[in-house]
Every structure is written in C-alpha cells, then in structure tokens.
Amino acid sequence: MDKTIDPALKSWIEVEKDDDFPIQNLPFGICKRPGESPYAATRIGNTVINLYALAKHSYIQETCIDADLFNRPVLNDFITLGKASSRRLRECLSDLFYEGNPLLRDHLQARKEILSPVKEVEMMMPVRVGDYTDFFSSEQHATNLGTIFRDAAHALNPNWKHIPVAYHGRASSIVISGTPIHRPKGQTDPNAASIPEFGPVKQLDFELEVAFITGKSTLLGDSISTKDAEDSIFGLVLFNDLSARDIQKWEYTPLGPFLGKNFGSVISPWIITLDALEPFRTSGPEQNPPVLPYLSFEGNHHFDINLEVFLKLPGEREVIISKTNYNNIYWNIVQQLAHQTVNGCNINIGDIYSSGTISGRDPSSFGSMIELTWGGTKPIKFPGGSERRFIEDLDTVILRGYAEKNGLRIGFGEASVKILPAN
Ligand code: CA
C-alpha cells in the first residue's frame, strides 16, 4: 500500500476532526499573500504550505524539482514533470510533515516563512485552462433534463448509452471559488410570442459536477486508451457549471449549449490527486448495451465521493438542498478521456473535463435547481419562509465534496459563487 494514504498517519500540523485536508490529502493549489506574487502550495488542516519556500530551504531536495517551478502563477509547468515527480513530492511532504519528523517541525524560523493560516491567503486559479469539455455522464440527470425539455418517452437520446456525450465549453470563463458572477442577459424562448424576449435571465441554475484536470499533452492524431488514461489525469476538482435554462432551452437545438453555459463556471481551488483518492475507488453501474471496444476498461475508475449543494439566501444561513455521490455517473473518467481523444483530438496539460451534472435516483439527490424544482414547478422552501425556483440575485451557491472510509476523510473544500445582479 502507498504509505501516504495510511489512515494511521498524523501530522505535527493540527488537523481537526472531519477536516477535508489531513496529511493523506496533500492537494495542489496556487495562493497569494497580499502584496506578494503567487506560489504553488499544499495544505494540511487550516495551514497552507508554501512549496516555493519549502524548496528554497532545501526541504524537498530529494524530489530534484527546480524551486522556480513553484514560483509561477499556475501549476502547469510543475504538472509537466509528470506523475512520477508529483508522487515523489507527495512522499517527501508526507515524510516531512509526519508527526515524528522534527526537521521542519522544530525549526520555528523556517516555519514562519513556509506556513500560513489559510485565512491569510487568497486562492488563485491553479492551472491555465486551455480547453474545457463538459460531459453529460449522469443517466438520471440526462433522463430528468430530457423529460423536462422534451418528454419522458424521448428523455434519453438513442446515442446516450453508446457515446459519453459532451460538448466543447468555454475555458475563458472558468473562475476560482469565491469569484462573484453577474446574472447573464440573453435571448430566451418566445413561448407563444413571435419574437424572443431579451433581458436578465429568469432561470439561473447551478450544476453540481466533478471535473478532472489533465496532466499530459498529446499530439494531434494521437489517442489515449482507457488503460493509459489515468496516467494523463492529474487530479479532480469540484465544478459548478452555472447555466441559464431559459437561454439554453431556446438555443440548444441543433448544436447544443452556447451562451446559456459560458458566462461563468466555478472550480474548487485545491486539486485532489488520484493518489489521495485511491482508497475510494468503486465500481460503476453495469453498462448495458455493451460499449464498443475502445470504451471498454478494466478495474475500478469510479470514486465514492459524497457531494453536497448548499444555497445561502441573502441575510440567511446556508441550507443544504442536495446530497449525492460522484459514483452516480455512468461513464467513468477513463472512458471520457478515451472518447475525447479517439478521433485524434489533442489534449493539453491543464485542460478541464467536467462530469456533467451528477444526479442520483432520489429527488433529494438531483444536482441542479431545474431538477430539484422540476422545471420550477415545485419551489424549494427555506426556513426563513422564502422560496426558490431558480437562483436569485445575491444568492450564494456552495458545492462541497468529501470521501470517507475506515477513519480516513479526503475532502475537496468548496466551490462557492455569489450571484450579482445583471450588469
Ligand atoms: Ca454541465
């Protein structure tokens, strides 16, 4: 077993019970202290660890990673080194922060330069995103949306169980948790009228998703097999693909989503590696009809990750409105990446591939407002007496996620976004 994920490991950095970031997690992110330049970091408990400072003080010398790679505004150049390097770094960090290791623990001067309370740093986009693909891999979500937009008899398109359906999204509008987004304006369904309406959208929605970030580049013409796909996946983040349902409904035929989904997508700041998620592998649903050979795979590539959505109305406390699990996806990450590249489409380091909205069977586990309120017909009621059919101005949507097993909890932190009135 990989000893970095031994549930018995403890750090000399304080970690509270049920914290998302025990010493077994060791996620990667980019942060910034006021007035300083951004740097690569990891995190244990509520302490952020400056990898650039750690490298400059020669604490991670045996990884042979050039300190300068941690002194950049994104992780792309570090990720380029490959999984062998990031694994070596994980092992080195696990050893350095293990409770029995005095090397940095007892060096108070160096600790001051290397460690910061998480509330004193600003989290930045961890990667420069080149391309973004949004899959549609939850059968329940696809069925729910097909039923609401079309009808129950034609909910799932005939291709759905043969192809991990997806569209190419917009990378420029992917933002880090905490970035507010203005309500978009656009053209919406005229319904019975002869010309469409235009204005701030009325059906603003979230989509609860998990995305993987690629850690390798390929050449145009190359494909990645399901067997090799995980080697090209650096890690996972939470992903909120904000959606304007009224724009989407009017524009999506025949080419799919466009302005209804490219005005803001929000990611959680820490990239959780597949190494940290290893204990939480699980099998997915049986795939019937059988998939074509290029989509067949061996092993378990689903992950048992609890996912939650909270909605915070202005002046009120946040309330949980959905609870589901990442294993509610039909197509797994290796099938998604194999499908993305089977035609020779090249990929780059830092690309984002999102799962699509993740909905379970139970209505309390639906991953979007349009499903939870069934097209706006069944409003969600809040303790203060308010109701929501869709997201209103000044509401905050917060996604959280964590895996838990045998006393080990690996979490994602959160992806939070406040909606501001239309510009
Ligand atoms: Ca989506």
Side-chain angles (χ1 to χ4, degrees):
M1 186 179 109
D2 172 359
K3 65 178 178 22
T4 64
I5 47 173
D6 179 352
L9 265 190
K10 284 201 166 59
S11 174
W12 49 263
I13 294 179
E14 190 192 340
V15 178
E16 284 173 26
K17 190 181 175 296
D18 291 340
D19 196 293
D20 279 352
F21 302 99
I23 189 173
Q24 293 86 351
N25 193 339
L26 300 174
F28 293 107
I30 293 284
C31 23
K32 189 175 172 306
R33 295 226 286 199
E36 294 176 11
S37 49
Y39 57 85
T42 187
R43 170 175 179 171
I44 296 177
N46 286 323
T47 301
V48 165
I49 300 161
N50 182 333
L51 295 174
Y52 179 48
L54 211 54
K56 272 194 306 183
H57 282 279
S58 304
Y59 283 109
I60 49 176
Q61 226 167 0
E62 65 258 46
T63 63
C64 301
I65 300 172
D66 180 0
D68 190 47
L69 291 184
F70 298 122
N71 187 27
R72 311 243 163 123
V74 285
L75 293 167
N76 294 57
D77 293 335
F78 160 63
I79 296 173
T80 306
L81 299 177
K83 274 206 179 179
S85 282
S86 54
R87 267 189 192 135
R88 260 204 310 278
L89 178 57
R90 248 184 94 74
E91 284 159 11
C92 193
L93 293 168
S94 177
D95 183 52
L96 185 62
F97 291 98
Y98 153 68
E99 63 181 346
N101 187 341
L103 193 62
L104 176 59
R105 186 191 69 195
D106 297 347
H107 196 325
L108 296 185
Q109 194 53 38
R111 277 174 59 162
K112 261 190 211 155
E113 216 182 303
I114 293 165
L115 309 180
S116 307
V118 71
K119 58 178 192 294
E120 287 179 13
V121 304
E122 182 189 352
M123 297 306 298
M124 317 289 289
M125 276 295 288
V127 287
R128 187 176 48 251
V129 185
D131 280 296
Y132 156 47
T133 292
D134 190 16
F135 284 93
F136 189 50
S137 289
S138 154
E139 182 174 2
Q140 189 64 50
H141 170 71
T143 305
N144 288 345
L145 241 63
T147 305
I148 294 169
F149 276 17
R150 293 184 294 275
D151 61 275
H154 304 94
L156 224 51
N157 280 320
N159 60 4
W160 200 88
K161 289 199 168 178
H162 297 281
I163 291 177
V165 170
Y167 68 94
H168 280 125
R170 182 85 189 167
S172 67
S173 53
I174 297 177
V175 296
I176 196 72
S177 175
T179 311
I181 297 286
H182 285 274
R183 176 175 299 273
K185 290 178 289 197
Q187 253 194 59
T188 56
D189 196 334
N191 294 310
S194 58
I195 53 164
E197 278 189 47
F198 178 84
V201 301
K202 298 188 180 83
Q203 299 186 346
L204 183 59
D205 203 351
F206 66 85
E207 291 195 327
L208 169 60
E209 309 194 20
V210 172
F212 67 82
I213 294 177
T214 39
K216 272 193 179 175
S217 298
T218 57
L219 297 174
L220 189 61
D222 285 351
S223 301
I224 299 174
S225 66
T226 57
K227 186 166 169 280
D228 294 335
E230 280 199 6
D231 201 36
S232 300
I233 295 174
F234 183 68
L236 306 181
V237 291
L238 302 174
F239 193 93
N240 180 353
D241 185 26
L242 290 171
S243 300
R245 300 301 178 191
D246 33 6
I247 294 179
Q248 184 184 355
K249 189 173 181 218
W250 174 232
E251 75 176 1
Y252 87 103
T253 310
L255 291 185
F258 185 44
L259 303 185
K261 284 178 177 271
N262 68 358
F263 57 89
S265 304
V266 186
I267 65 167
S268 53
W270 296 102
I271 306 176
I272 313 301
T273 61
L274 297 188
D275 291 333
L277 293 167
E278 191 61 38
F280 310 102
R281 282 184 189 274
T282 177
S283 58
E286 190 200 346
Q287 296 186 330
N288 192 19
V291 298
L292 288 177
Y294 82 92
L295 290 170
S296 67
F297 62 93
E298 285 177 12
N300 288 336
H301 304 281
H302 277 68
F303 294 88
D304 179 1
I305 299 170
N306 301 295
L307 301 169
E308 299 169 332
V309 185
F310 297 79
L311 193 59
K312 187 186 175 310
L313 311 192
E316 296 188 19
R317 274 202 200 155
E318 61 180 52
V319 170
I320 188 162
I321 59 168
S322 176
K323 214 170 176 170
T324 185
N325 195 295
Y326 183 40
N327 64 21
N328 278 317
I329 57 169
Y330 188 85
W331 300 102
N332 63 44
I333 54 176
V334 301
Q335 292 179 307
Q336 289 169 339
L337 193 55
H339 185 65
Q340 172 79 54
T341 59
V342 73
N343 64 345
C345 172
N346 50 334
I347 64 160
N348 281 302
I349 288 164
D351 288 353
I352 287 189
Y353 300 81
S354 196
S355 58
T357 308
I358 302 162
S359 294
R361 277 175 189 265
D362 191 90
S364 66
S365 65
F366 291 169
S368 65
M369 288 293 268
I370 194 172
E371 293 167 273
L372 290 165
T373 68
W374 206 254
T377 60
K378 297 177 190 165
I380 300 172
K381 296 188 169 32
F382 287 80
S386 307
E387 289 186 349
R388 285 292 183 274
R389 290 162 203 274
F390 288 95
I391 304 167
E392 295 188 6
D393 290 347
L394 307 182
D395 288 353
T396 302
V397 185
I398 306 151
L399 311 186
R400 297 203 174 95
Y402 64 94
E404 202 162 29
K405 193 179 174 185
N406 300 333
L408 176 62
R409 174 178 165 128
I410 299 287
F412 283 72
E414 62 181 40
S416 165
V417 58
K418 185 172 187 173
I419 301 301
L420 302 181
N423 258 331

